[in-house]
Amino acid sequence: MTEHDEVRDLLAAWAFGALEPAEEKTVRRHLAECETCGTEAEHLKETVRLLDGRTAPHPPTPSTHPHPEDTLPASLRSAALGTRRPAAPQVAAHATPYAAAVAGLRALLPEAEAHWSTPVVHDWDVHATLAHLLAADEPLAALLGIEARVPLSPTHETTATTPAQPWQDAWNRRTADVIAHEYGRTPEETVADWSAQADALLATDEARDPERAARAVELMGMRLPVADQFLVRAFETWIHTDDIGRALGLTVPPPPEAHLWQLIRLAVRVLGLALGPAAPPVLLAVDGGDRWVLGSDAEPVRAELALDPVDFCLLVGGRYAPGAVPRGSSGDEDAVRNVLERAASLSWL
């Protein structure tokens, strides 16, 4: 990994003030020499100020890219800026996308007042979508020693760990139980429990120490380091924040670029594993970033596929049908379709 790539991965933590002194020195030296990273760093700082409810002391550096705050409607921007929250948690780079996604959803939720029954996605309204996130964060929370906010049902306790039971069935049953439980409570109580669980996750040693987060664990059918499991949580929190925003007629900005690329790189790794080494090889290019050959490395590339970064994440998140995602492609259309269909199949969101 080049210093440029290393610093780009550290920028999110730098924006939150979460770097060790040696890393801070490396980032500051690089920012003084690299205009691209300098511009991205300024955008991240401004986003953190937005999420913390602080105003910028001076105008941001002009850029051809829209500032995340500029994409917010006035009502959402006012809610975000008017909401005073504690300072962002001091977490490691792997957990900063989740911290930012949690802060973004917190900024959006005041807009949901009086609209909790608005349909969002699947058969969930806003209240149920938040309850789903409470359930979705629960497996990682339990792994890290955090007690469940919603009591386990007798059905879950007796069958969820049966070896022959597919994880999807146990997962669907648990999220349905949590949604049913939360419908018996006020939306504000659900918000409080989701928020408390998220804060507890960000307060764990694994959120702050990359070494402790390096151990691999299996959750939701995927064996990944704990650090990557935090990225999975960030991914899902952002996707459902976007779902809620769309349902309320509000534009939710995508994650900051550095966070977005952390999510993309993880999604590409998972997609490569899902395709396997025998799949027809396809060169995947995500605009503005890296290029990867997915599938077999024993034969020439059969096709090329180009996707926008946000569109790629929405495809993996199940928000695009394989044939509907905007794309550029050439070569073997069957090989391209295979990649798109496998990417869309990864989602359980």
Side-chain angles (χ1 to χ4, degrees):
M1 179 182 291
T2 65
E3 181 179 89
H4 179 82
D5 291 335
E6 179 182 356
V7 168
R8 191 166 71 168
D9 286 345
L10 291 173
L11 282 181
W14 174 82
F16 277 102
L19 292 181
E20 297 296 328
E23 293 174 326
E24 176 83 15
K25 183 177 179 180
T26 298
V27 169
R28 290 193 175 278
R29 182 181 68 247
H30 183 79
L31 293 181
E33 302 171 350
C34 179
E35 182 178 355
T36 300
C37 287
T39 300
E40 175 63 17
E42 182 62 27
H43 287 173
L44 285 168
K45 275 289 190 183
E46 290 298 313
T47 300
V48 170
R49 291 187 187 105
L50 169 65
L51 295 178
D52 281 347
R54 294 174 289 180
T55 55
H58 55 76
T61 303
S63 170
T64 57
H65 298 287
H67 188 284
E69 183 177 349
D70 295 338
T71 65
L72 291 170
S75 58
L76 179 54
R77 185 162 59 249
S78 297
L81 293 174
T83 303
R84 304 302 301 178
R85 294 183 300 277
Q90 300 296 297
V91 295
H94 65 267
T96 52
Y98 177 63
V102 167
L105 181 51
R106 281 176 174 152
L108 175 64
L109 286 175
E111 296 292 311
E113 293 179 6
H115 301 288
W116 293 105
S117 61
T118 300
V120 175
V121 66
H122 309 313
D123 59 348
W124 303 333
D125 58 15
V126 178
H127 191 180
T129 302
L130 192 64
H132 164 72
L133 280 174
L134 175 63
D137 283 347
E138 190 179 80
L140 180 59
L143 180 78
L144 300 184
I146 299 168
E147 187 174 351
R149 309 294 298 188
V150 177
L152 298 180
S153 68
T155 300
H156 181 94
E157 291 174 340
T158 57
T159 66
T161 58
T162 301
Q165 182 71 43
W167 71 266
Q168 293 96 331
D169 290 350
W171 161 244
N172 290 333
R173 192 167 53 248
R174 178 56 178 166
T175 200
D177 286 347
V178 172
I179 289 172
H181 179 272
E182 295 305 305
Y183 270 152
R185 308 171 75 226
T186 67
E188 291 75 17
E189 289 173 319
T190 303
V191 170
D193 269 358
W194 165 78
S195 186
Q197 182 172 257
D199 285 342
L201 276 167
L202 292 168
T204 60
D205 291 339
E206 287 81 359
R208 301 163 186 263
D209 183 350
E211 290 188 9
R212 291 182 66 96
R215 63 187 175 103
V217 297
E218 185 165 343
L219 291 174
M220 321 291 278
M222 293 188 294
R223 184 168 180 80
L224 296 168
V226 170
D228 285 343
Q229 300 287 359
F230 270 101
L231 292 179
V232 173
R233 304 309 329 127
F235 195 110
E236 183 163 10
T237 303
W238 161 50
I239 290 290
H240 285 309
T241 301
D242 186 68
D243 289 336
I244 293 171
R246 290 173 188 270
L248 299 177
L250 301 172
T251 300
V252 172
E257 187 174 351
H259 297 185
L260 188 63
W261 281 102
Q262 285 177 268
L263 303 184
I264 289 169
R265 291 178 186 127
L266 173 62
V268 170
R269 294 204 310 271
V270 173
L271 176 56
L273 291 173
L275 285 166
V282 173
L283 178 65
L284 171 65
V286 179
D287 295 347
D290 299 330
R291 295 155 66 89
W292 301 267
V293 174
L294 302 175
S296 173
D297 59 2
E299 56 181 298
V301 168
R302 292 194 193 176
E304 296 187 11
L305 171 64
L307 294 167
D308 171 82
V310 174
D311 288 341
F312 173 69
C313 289
L314 292 176
L315 173 68
V316 173
R319 297 312 184 259
Y320 268 122
V325 63
R327 61 183 172 93
S329 63
S330 61
D332 186 340
E333 188 61 27
D334 288 339
V336 169
R337 187 181 304 109
N338 182 50
V339 171
L340 294 173
E341 291 178 350
R342 190 59 59 90
S345 74
L346 296 177
S347 175
W348 65 90
L349 310 184

